[in-house]
Amino acid sequence: MAGLSEGQTPVLEIDGTLNSNDGNSRGNKGKDKAVVLVGEENSNSNIDTQNQQGGSGGGSEREMPSMHRSGSRPQLDLSKAAIQGNFEVKDPTILLPNQSDDISHLALDIGGSLIKLVYFSRHEDQSIDDKRKKTIKERLGISNGNRRSYPILGGRLHFVKFETTKISECLDFIHSKQLHRGGVDSCHWNPGVQANDNAVIKATGGGAYKFADLFKERLGVSLDKEDEMDCLVAGANFLLKAIRHEAFTHMEGQKEFVQIDTNDLFPYLLVNIGSGVSMIKVDGDGKFERVSGTNVGGGTYWGLGRLLTKCKSFDELLELSQRGDNGTIDMLVGDIYGGMDYSKIGLSASTIASSFGKTISDKKELADYRPEDISLSLLRMISYNIGQISYLNALRFGLKRIFFGGFFIRGHAYTMDTISFAVQFWSKGEAQAMFLRHEGFLGALGAFMSYEKHGLDDLMVHQLVERFPMGAPYTGGRIHGPPLGDLNEKISWMEKFVLKGTEITAPVPMAPSGTTGLGGFEVPLSKGSTLRSDASALNVGVLHLVPTLEVFPLLADPKMYEPNTIDLADRSELEYWFTVLSEHLPDLVDKAVASEGGTDDAKRRGDAFARAFSAHLARLMEEPAAYGKLGLANLLELREECLREFQFLDAYRSIKQRENEASLAVLPDLLVELDSMSEETRLLMLIEGVLAANIFDWGSRACVDLYHKGTIIEIYRMSRNKMQRPWRVDDFDAFKERMLGSGDNKPRPHKRALLFVDNSGADVVLGMLPLARELLRRGTEVVLVANSLPALNDITAMELPDIVAEAAKHCDILRRAAEAGGLLVDAMINTLDGSKENSPSVPLMVVENGCGSPCIDLRQVSSELAAAAKNADLIILEGMGRALHTNFNARFKCEALKLAMVKNQRLAEKLIKGNIYDCVCRYEPAR
């Protein structure tokens, strides 16, 4: 599939933190099973109950020692980890492909209100004994070393939340997955493994002490406590270094993600707002000092709020603030100066001069004030003061960055806005408050990292892939319903959600069907003007650790590279593409169900997928930044992951097979026709052929309509007949000059070309294969780059060798190149000319790109593609997804040719100021 076109819909793999993809959490065998517990942020109370002279505000400064790591526990290798979405909407999972020891780790952060759980599960992929792959790896110099081979994923870190008052649910969850004994699948790897009575769970925070006996009684495990501040800093350092869009600013309801240069991260100020507030100067890994604090924090807000408003929960108090007007309680500058600003010193009339100041002169009792106004006044009083004290400490130590986290933040819009305003006001705009998407899991992550050789220290940002699953019980920072045990439970939950509407809490409220074209989910009325805690909350995905991902080495400037071409920060663009995605949904569901034989089970899964994906769209329409920085490529990948979540692994399988067969049948005649042409004419026909064949895109509404009007060959011929230059973007002459030269000036051939292929059928068979053949003819090594996983009708690296083998039966150039490249290792292809049997040939190879989306983010590609790129001097990106939706503005160190037919009118107008079916042939010389 070339990319997102009219009527196209995205998909998401749902891997809830409560479930692994197959409903199981894969543990590992080992003598000792290790589990980790971490305390909650608000247990970071800054008031020392044994020394009232201490506390956050008056505690002495001290240099914290480096985190102790137990070397006696089983060791976890998280080197080259990555984030990939799993079953929770709110909590992430991380993959550990290099994990070689069969062990399982678990970490819990038990606080007064919430329990944060982090656990590791192995994704035990079977190694494929692929001779072709081994041959190509040998040629590219790729070695697996002594590690186990994991084609895609090796392990995950899951992040789960439970309410502390419902700790029994947490214990039941741990027991159901046997996390305290290595995971439910450990028996499959080592049936002889016995329960370990000496299992240890690392723990930090107050709950680790309070519930130690309960864990021993219910699970038979002991709690090994870790220092809370050690864990906090370790977790923050990991997140800031490993997750690309972890930090963000929040002003006037608008989030803006900040890219942190890991080489310029330290020093920074970490402000942890729990019951009290700790301010920590972080100078590096294991190097930090608590430099200040205050006993006025989240506990103050909750305590005073409970006394003054009679609210029964922290969330209820926050909700009240959404409807409050602090002007009825706070004394403002305008109240003092007759409604005027005090402009001489830069104070506006709305600036708070004295929190709760109006209550002094008002002849009112507490009952006369609205609880909503009291809540907002309290919130602003505490937030402003925390913001001011934090900035003054940053100024004191010359720190450029201030990160805020802790239980008090909780993704709450008013809280973040108030703190941000205070920092901006007191710094006169020179400093910004920044927040962390995963801030709720800092302590849990840190406790997890307390293990010796946990491997997270070596993790690179490009090896983490974050995906966002659908499903209970997480939404908007709140917890609803029991954990989902397996796919069937998830489907049942989606069905009940649709049937009962708002009676079952879900990612977004359900409206009457047909109201918006977004699967029946109503588009929220507020578009940033109204701040709501649930709309503002950031969802945390599943972190998959993928050690085989690398940065594409031919990017001219990786730090400046942005894959997405379309800016979805533009509300009109967002609404348009969401509509396109939604309109394509019914056709996609039909194809997915048909790919599974149209069974009742497939229909049920298809219906659940449609509802789940519609809910994702509605959630992102309400809060585009809920899942992090949003781009068109993210939406397309979301769609594919959602399909896989509901076990639709290749929705267009039968269509791809049919189109491949039809195209291969006419390939020999096409090659004969091309060989009869002059060199110059042939090159033009080859580029025209790629552009014409790129029309076959099942993600495009316009293309789907064409399929109903003729056969694949008829459509291809029609498309070829319409190929008339000049094209909308036409650099063919420059490319021809580079390939053929002029007069007696014959340029050197390219050494190696990377051809990023797109759709199956005519696109790859009649378009890209003939172009690859021409390059081979000229002595250029060719590497065909295809998807690792299916996405719509895109060809995959697993399918491509068979197509090449079939094509090679009719072409000696392809046969010899495929043999040289390891694609025909069994030599089953009949030769066309025995005299050429021993002729040397440059190789034709196939590598996977490391993704399963119609687009490609070149910051995260497979290690074999990265290896192939090191000797390449020509890149050809083909199709809307890889050449237009993403990478249209990308610049490379080598020559690049971007080829695509535009099959979406909006994209044509926006990107090339053209029309649907216009063509793009952009040639970019080496930089």
Side-chain angles (χ1 to χ4, degrees), residues 18-20 22-25 87 173 176-177 472 482-490:
L18 303 184
N19 320 67
S20 61
D22 54 3
N24 296 321
S25 171
F87 299 144
F173 171 69
S176 69
K177 285 190 171 294
L484 298 175
D486 54 27
L487 178 62
N488 188 59
E489 285 186 22
K490 183 177 297 183

Side-chain angles (χ1 to χ4, degrees), residues 260-272:
I260 302 296
D261 184 353
T262 55
N263 295 320
D264 189 34
L265 173 61
F266 304 111
Y268 66 84
L269 187 69
L270 177 62
V271 182
N272 190 58

